């Protein structure tokens, strides 16, 4: 049962410790004439899943010949990541739980009896506690620092770290990970490498499992010996950072400022997002006013706010985050580009002058054209008149000369 080949040295020591410290039947609690002892042969084994340990035990010998009873076990263990005791009751003889292998492991267990001879009431035996404090191994101060993970747009996750202050030169880091659908730990699929060496790991979406423990360990080797192991256990859905909100558009209709945007790209479902809209308004008196609004209206990518009477210009920017319906945590995206309403003053005046100029030019040109046309027409008419006059005159003259006495001729001159 002991998977000693997969055991880190300290854990095998721990398992042996438990075996040698097995409690003897000293229980004060009795029921139906037998002692209600704690379970026997308690063992904690490490299947090599980076802190996901299995606890096993057997029925106490005092209860072996008991009939007409149900025997259950109450197991409590200290969750070092959540920093609280967790409690489970089970009829089974095994339980697996997540521990932080860098911290003391504390387990408490007792037997619960329910028999016909106790009239169906529950009898709890005495509780036994085991504590194991791991011996620190590795070069002093060599444990990595500032480890954190960000799951970008639910497309890929990056976990990064800084080296420990006491890290020897020429050290090499290794990252291993595990989740419950994996048979064994795997090494980082793609290291993020800086000039100082490996400083992070990039996980494609396919290597991750949501709503389940995702265990990580960063260790290392150096000419001066191995580095101190660092263990982490996260649930990846709580580390999502959505992409930047794009296509932000501001419009003004009937005194209302309306903001529209597109959800961020990536794999975060739209109903899992909340948005924060930040507005900065410049008032006519030059004062600035800033407001932030968190919008949890699911699947709504627009926002309206009445334009303030005294306002001159309003600018908006938006960011998003996974909402509480989809995860217990997350990171805000970066802010979108800032989009503003048109400035009230610069909106009117330039338009007017522009329109005025165009108008003036058009009117001017039209005036000139009309003037030219009228002159031309006038000229044409006057030429025609003169021509006509001349023609008539000569015609007349001829006729008159033919028929009239020469005394009348001066009238037509
Ligand atoms: C249970 O029964 C077996 C066989 O009858 C006996 O050898 C053993 O001592 C009993 N155990 C206890 C705890 O009474
Ligand atoms: C169970 O019930 C019987 C009768 O009601 C009573 O005499 C006896 O003392 C009870 N036993 C326990 C353990 O409560
Ligand atoms: C780092 O940890 C992994 C997983 O526990 C182990 O297989 C590997 O040998 C360790 N490497 C070093 C250098 O300690």
């Amino acid at each position: 049962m002991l998977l000693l080949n997969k055991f880190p040295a300290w854990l095998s020591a721990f398992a042996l410790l438990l075996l040698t410290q097995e409690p003897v039947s000293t229980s004060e609690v009795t029921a139906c004439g037998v002692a209600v002892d704690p379970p026997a042969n308690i063992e904690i084994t490490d299947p090599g899943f980076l802190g996901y340990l299995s606890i096993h035990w057997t029925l106490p010998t005092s209860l072996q010949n008991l009939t007409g009873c149900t025997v259950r076990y109450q197991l409590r263990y200290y969750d070092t990541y959540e920093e609280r005791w967790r409690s489970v009751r089970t009829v089974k003889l095994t339980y697996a739980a997540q521990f932080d292998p860098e911290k003391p492991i504390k387990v408490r267990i007792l037997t619960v009896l329910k028999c016909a001879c106790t009239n169906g009431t529950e009898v709890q035996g005495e509780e036994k506690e085991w504590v194991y404090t791991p011996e620190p191994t590795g070069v002093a101060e060599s444990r990595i620092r500032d480890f954190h993970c960000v799951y970008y747009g639910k497309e890929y996750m990056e976990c990064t770290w800084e080296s420990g202050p006491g890290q020897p030169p020429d050290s090499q880091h290794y990252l291993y990970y595990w989740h419950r659908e994996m048979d064994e730990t795997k090494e980082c699929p793609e290291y993020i490498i800086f000039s100082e060496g490996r400083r992070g790991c990039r996980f494609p979406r396919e290597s991750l499992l949501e709503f389940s423990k995702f265990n990580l360990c960063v260790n290392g080797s150096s000419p001066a010996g191995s580095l101190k192991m660092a263990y982490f256990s996260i649930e990846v859905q709580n580390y999502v950072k959505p992409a930047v909100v794009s296509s932000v558009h501001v419009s003004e209709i009937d005194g209302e400022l309306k903001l529209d945007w597109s959800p961020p790209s990536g794999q975060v479902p739209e109903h899992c997002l909340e948005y924060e809209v930040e507005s900065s308004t410049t008032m006519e008196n030059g004062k600035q006013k800033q407001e932030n609004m968190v919008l949890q209206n699911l699947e709504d990518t627009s926002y309206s706010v009445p334009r303030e009477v005294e306002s001159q210009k309003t600018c908006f920017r938006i960011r998003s985050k996974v909402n509480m319906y989809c995860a217990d945590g997350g990171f805000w995206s970066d802010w979108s580009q800032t989009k503003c309403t048109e400035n009230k003053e610069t909106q009117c005046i330039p338009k007017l002058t522009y329109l005025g100029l165009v108008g003036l030019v058009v009117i001017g040109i039209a005036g000139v054209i009309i003037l030219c046309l009228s002159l031309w027409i006038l000229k044409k008419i006057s030429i025609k008149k003169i021509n006509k006059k001349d023609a008539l005159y000569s015609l007349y003259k001829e006729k008159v000369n033919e028929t009239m006495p020469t005394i009348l001729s001066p009238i037509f001159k």
Side-chain angles (χ1 to χ4, degrees):
M1 202 193 292
L2 284 180
L3 301 164
L4 280 170
N5 54 337
K6 279 192 177 175
F7 265 42
W10 66 263
L11 258 182
S12 29
F14 176 35
L16 288 171
L17 188 96
L18 283 186
L19 290 170
T20 52
Q21 281 199 348
E22 190 181 320
V24 284
S25 310
T26 53
S27 179
E28 306 279 297
V29 184
T30 55
C32 310
V34 294
V36 186
D37 287 338
N41 303 317
I42 295 170
E43 268 179 25
I44 298 181
T45 55
D46 182 6
F49 300 151
L50 312 177
Y52 190 70
L53 306 180
S54 296
I55 307 158
H56 312 270
W57 58 89
T58 59
L59 182 72
T61 43
S62 60
L63 303 180
Q64 260 161 14
N65 294 343
L66 205 59
T67 52
C69 293
T70 58
V71 181
R72 289 195 297 165
Y73 306 96
Q74 179 173 294
L75 176 79
R76 298 204 293 149
Y77 64 95
Y78 193 70
D79 185 328
T80 33
Y81 287 110
E82 303 257 309
E83 298 192 322
R84 66 185 180 93
W85 285 92
R86 286 179 175 276
S87 191
V88 287
R89 277 196 178 186
T90 178
V91 294
K92 294 184 185 160
L93 298 170
T94 178
Y95 189 79
Q98 183 66 41
F99 292 89
D100 179 353
E102 292 182 75
K103 303 224 175 99
I105 290 165
K106 297 180 197 167
V107 176
R108 293 175 182 173
I109 191 160
L110 60 80
T111 308
V112 181
L113 264 193
K114 203 169 168 182
C115 305
C117 61
T118 60
N119 289 352
T121 53
E122 244 177 33
V123 180
Q124 288 194 9
E126 221 173 89
E127 190 175 57
K128 288 281 169 189
E129 182 182 272
W130 288 269
V131 179
Y132 176 72
T133 309
E135 286 293 318
T137 56
V139 177
E141 302 282 291
S142 65
R143 185 189 186 276
I144 57 141
R145 297 175 299 174
D146 300 337
F147 183 86
H148 58 263
C149 299
V150 181
Y151 191 4
Y152 291 99
K154 280 203 180 187
E155 292 185 305
Y156 63 94
M157 184 168 81
E158 279 185 4
C159 295
T160 54
W161 61 81
E162 297 295 327
S163 56
Q167 180 179 298
D170 301 321
S171 295
Q172 175 78 299
H173 288 151
Y174 303 91
L175 180 142
Y176 290 86
Y177 71 103
W178 177 85
H179 59 68
R180 67 174 149 81
E181 289 184 1
M182 291 166 68
D183 295 333
E184 55 185 8
T185 57
K186 278 194 183 148
E187 199 180 342
C188 169
E190 186 190 336
Y191 283 109
I192 299 167
I193 298 163
F194 291 126
S195 56
E196 320 91 81
R198 293 171 174 173
R199 288 295 176 272
C201 178
R202 193 182 156 112
F203 299 91
R205 183 179 162 83
E206 308 77 60
S207 62
L208 304 172
L209 184 69
E210 289 185 24
F211 296 99
S212 174
K213 298 282 181 213
F214 190 82
N215 292 348
L216 301 131
C217 151
V218 180
N219 58 13
S221 58
S222 82
S226 57
L227 309 187
K228 275 202 163 75
M229 298 257 227
Y231 290 93
F232 309 93
S233 182
I234 64 172
E235 294 205 11
V236 297
Q237 79 277 0
N238 295 334
Y239 292 80
V240 175
K241 179 177 177 175
V244 174
V245 174
S246 60
S247 314
V248 183
H249 182 247
V250 184
S251 56
E252 186 177 350
I253 304 157
D254 298 334
E256 258 213 331
L257 305 181
K258 189 159 185 276
L259 202 61
D260 299 281
W261 61 89
S262 305
S265 64
Q267 302 287 332
V268 185
E270 275 181 50
H271 71 265
C272 283
L273 290 166
E274 66 180 35
Y275 296 96
E276 182 177 2
V277 175
E278 186 186 87
S279 66
S280 326
T281 304
T282 311
M283 306 304 280
E284 268 164 2
N285 60 12
K287 283 208 175 124
Q288 288 277 345
K289 220 165 107 178
Q290 190 178 308
E291 269 179 320
N292 287 60
M293 275 285 297
V294 173
L295 311 172
Q296 276 162 336
N297 299 13
L298 303 182
E299 296 188 58
D300 195 359
T301 57
S302 72
Y303 172 67
S304 292
V305 63
R307 178 201 239 283
E308 288 189 55
V309 188
E310 302 278 278
S311 71
Q312 204 174 58
K313 183 182 169 186
T314 306
C315 292
F316 296 96
R317 54 181 195 162
I318 306 171
R319 59 181 185 170
S320 74
K321 188 171 157 265
V322 171
N323 63 29
M324 61 192 254
Y325 306 104
C326 294
D328 292 336
F331 301 110
W332 281 109
S333 71
D334 293 334
W335 286 105
S336 70
Q337 277 190 319
T338 303
K339 284 287 163 75
C340 303
T341 57
E342 303 216 340
N343 198 314
K344 213 161 126 193
E345 273 168 15
T346 54
Q347 188 181 2
C348 308
I349 293 162
K351 264 195 182 161
L352 261 186
T353 41
Y354 178 71
L355 267 183
L357 260 177
V358 169
L360 270 178
V361 168
V362 167
I363 289 167
I365 290 170
V368 168
I369 289 171
I370 288 168
L371 197 77
C372 291
L373 258 178
S374 9
L375 279 176
W376 181 73
I377 289 167
L378 267 177
K379 204 178 162 198
K380 270 270 155 117
I381 289 172
S382 55
I383 288 169
K384 261 193 186 160
K385 266 190 182 159
I386 290 162
N387 287 352
K388 250 189 186 168
K389 207 173 145 192
D390 284 356
L392 267 176
Y393 173 69
S394 29
L395 229 156
Y396 221 90
K397 206 176 161 188
E398 275 170 34
K399 283 209 170 161
V400 167
N401 285 348
E402 278 170 19
T403 54
M404 284 203 177
T406 42
I407 354 150
L408 287 173
S409 62
I411 299 168
F412 293 103
K413 212 67 195 173

